[in-house]
Amino acid sequence: MEFETENHNEVLIVRLLEPRLDAALSVRFKEAMREVADESTEEIVLDLANVTFMDSSGLGAVVAVMKHMGRERVFKIASLTPAVDKVFKLTRMDSVFQILESAQDAIEGGLQEAG
Amino acid sequence: MTEKLAAPDVKANGGDETLVLNRIIKSCQSTVGDLVSELDGKLRTRGFASDQVGDSCVILAEALNNVIEHGYQLEKDGDIAINLSATKECLQILIRDRGPSYRVPEAKTFTEPATDDLEQLPEGGFGWGLIHTLSDKVELRRKNDSNYLKINKFYQM
């Protein structure tokens, strides 16, 4: 599974470089994300800009990552493409996530709060 | 001896615009991804709207993953026959497998999950709900030790 990370002070952006977050990828995705979460202390923003298809297994994996991070850590998702956004909305799981228009919003938001 | 799973015929309604995909695949999740990508490309080439393409791909993926996970229990050597046809009006997907019989849960609408207990959030069980929400008709019958799943979706014009 390919992804890249970008560190901005207290915010770690994890950008998934896969076009599909589906049943074939979901286990590897969960494992990789748990590792990233365990190795950092920052807020994590999962940037899904490259993901043009997500199925229910992919959605379940994103939920699992949030559960793994627990209440104490901040986990947000960003840059949902229309097809991915639709799966979150249809299942009503959009209500349990903090969803950003773009990962950049997390950094700028943080700067404003600090400034 | 297992009888070979033959791809049943889907009769195209004629005309160049009908997309027909007949495949027999092994019950492997990465194969599903390849097939869904192929469907995505072919529908786009034929000028289907993005949301129609996306909905169709989700329906196909969920139906196949269900067969693989619950029917064949993730065994990778099960055969799945797929017959798909798409016109500007309607998508029809026929999926036949030789796994154990299963049932289609009743359609129910998704409700907003309670967020007070993180641990209680569902990580699965969305598949059939998505199929029901995105399609118009779901039928399943069992015959000759095979499951025949038929899904129809009428595209909004």
Side-chain angles (χ1 to χ4, degrees):
Chain A
M1 191 194 84
E2 276 195 72
F3 65 96
E4 58 185 19
T5 57
E6 226 177 82
N7 207 325
H8 299 268
N9 291 322
E10 297 300 305
V11 181
L12 182 72
I13 297 174
V14 181
R15 189 169 297 117
L16 194 55
L17 300 176
E18 303 278 348
R20 315 172 49 79
L21 182 48
D22 60 6
L25 190 76
S26 62
V27 174
R28 274 175 289 158
F29 168 80
K30 264 189 277 192
E31 283 168 1
M33 286 299 295
R34 281 176 183 155
E35 222 167 276
V36 168
D38 291 346
E39 283 170 4
S40 70
T41 53
E42 302 98 331
E43 165 180 336
I44 288 183
V45 179
L46 175 64
D47 186 335
L48 294 172
N50 295 304
V51 180
T52 51
F53 179 84
M54 181 181 76
D55 66 10
S56 63
S57 302
L59 171 65
V62 180
V63 175
V65 172
M66 180 169 71
K67 285 162 80 165
H68 179 76
M69 287 185 64
R71 286 258 181 242
E72 298 72 35
R73 302 276 303 277
V74 179
F75 177 66
K76 296 176 184 170
I77 53 178
S79 305
L80 307 189
T81 59
V84 171
D85 183 53
K86 189 165 187 177
V87 172
F88 274 101
K89 288 207 169 90
L90 287 177
T91 56
R92 309 289 297 268
M93 294 305 282
D94 59 325
S95 63
V96 306
F97 287 96
Q98 295 185 61
I99 302 175
L100 305 174
E101 287 278 319
S102 125
Q104 204 63 28
D105 293 352
I107 307 161
E108 284 163 9
L111 286 177
Q112 276 165 13
E113 278 166 35
Chain B
M1 286 290 284
T2 49
E3 186 192 334
K4 198 163 163 47
L5 203 59
D9 284 337
V10 167
K11 289 179 185 61
N13 295 324
D16 298 333
E17 292 192 350
T18 304
L19 165 67
V20 178
L21 268 180
N22 291 327
R23 291 291 152 79
I24 295 178
I25 64 167
K26 288 291 174 191
S27 51
C28 167
Q29 287 169 331
S30 60
T31 316
V32 173
D34 295 342
L35 190 66
V36 170
S37 294
E38 186 181 343
L39 176 64
D40 183 291
K42 289 191 164 162
L43 289 175
R44 277 180 208 284
T45 307
R46 281 170 172 76
F48 284 82
S50 283
D51 61 329
Q52 294 175 336
V53 177
D55 294 354
S56 307
C57 289
V58 170
I59 295 169
L60 180 63
E62 297 300 343
L64 290 174
N65 285 330
N66 186 64
V67 170
I68 292 172
E69 285 166 35
H70 305 294
Y72 284 121
Q73 308 278 317
L74 298 174
E75 288 283 337
K76 290 192 174 160
D77 60 351
D79 284 332
I80 306 174
I82 299 127
N83 305 101
L84 183 151
S85 67
T87 65
K88 292 286 177 208
E89 292 82 36
C90 179
L91 169 78
Q92 176 170 287
I93 301 173
L94 301 174
I95 294 173
R96 180 174 161 200
D97 71 85
R98 289 198 178 281
S101 65
Y102 61 91
R103 48 176 287 278
V104 175
E106 270 179 46
K108 59 177 171 78
T109 47
F110 287 107
T111 52
E112 198 169 299
T115 50
D116 44 335
D117 187 356
L118 204 58
E119 279 308 306
Q120 295 302 313
L121 283 180
E123 292 177 38
F126 305 111
W128 279 115
L130 282 170
I131 293 174
H132 282 302
T133 307
L134 293 171
S135 67
D136 295 286
K137 201 172 174 191
V138 181
E139 293 169 277
L140 174 72
R141 62 192 179 93
R142 178 88 181 166
K143 197 182 154 192
N144 300 334
D145 293 330
S146 297
N147 301 304
Y148 294 79
L149 177 68
K150 181 164 131 186
I151 302 173
N152 283 96
K153 174 180 179 57
F154 302 107
Y155 294 123
Q156 303 293 321
M157 301 299 281

